[in-house]
Amino acid sequence: ATDDSYLSSIFEYIASLEKEVGKEVYQFIQAVFTNKTAMIMTYGEQLVQQGVQQGMQQGIQQGMQTRNWEIARTMLHNLHLGVDVVEQATGLSKQELASL
């Protein structure tokens, strides 16, 4: 018999895997341990929550990057500030600024 602490360790490991690999392993474990449904659901919910949090973080980062580009464009084209000043203020590279 497998005790719950062992299963907890397994699910913590699964949660640390790449999303698709973790999902496949999770589904396999779910099929094998049908009498541990409550514990399996808890870890399944954690996997979903981690995916949601990662998606939100990526969205925030992309939004911040887009906003930096908008600010840089305004600084360069409307305010006519130098590339070095805009680079320092926005954290964008000279290569990124050249594409604006």
Side-chain angles (χ1 to χ4, degrees), residues 2-94:
T2 304
D3 69 7
D4 289 349
S5 64
Y6 180 73
L7 282 177
S8 293
S9 296
I10 290 172
F11 287 122
E12 287 172 16
Y13 172 72
I14 292 170
S16 72
L17 298 173
E18 289 182 24
K19 183 180 176 182
E20 289 303 313
V21 174
K23 184 177 177 182
E24 289 178 24
V25 175
Y26 169 79
Q27 289 171 343
F28 171 78
I29 296 293
Q30 187 177 23
V32 171
F33 294 105
T34 56
N35 63 336
K36 299 292 184 180
T37 303
M39 178 181 282
I40 291 169
M41 290 305 297
T42 299
Y43 282 97
E45 291 166 1
Q46 287 179 5
L47 289 172
V48 169
Q49 184 62 31
Q50 284 178 345
V52 168
Q53 287 175 348
Q54 288 174 352
M56 288 174 59
Q57 286 176 336
Q58 288 174 351
I60 290 169
Q61 288 174 351
Q62 288 174 351
M64 290 173 62
Q65 186 71 17
T66 299
R67 184 66 180 138
N68 276 346
W69 288 334
E70 291 169 354
I71 291 168
R73 191 176 298 111
T74 298
M75 293 173 79
L76 288 170
H77 299 291
N78 297 359
L79 301 175
H80 307 288
L81 297 174
V83 172
D84 291 334
V85 172
V86 177
E87 179 183 23
Q88 187 176 8
T90 63
L92 297 173
S93 70
K94 288 181 181 175

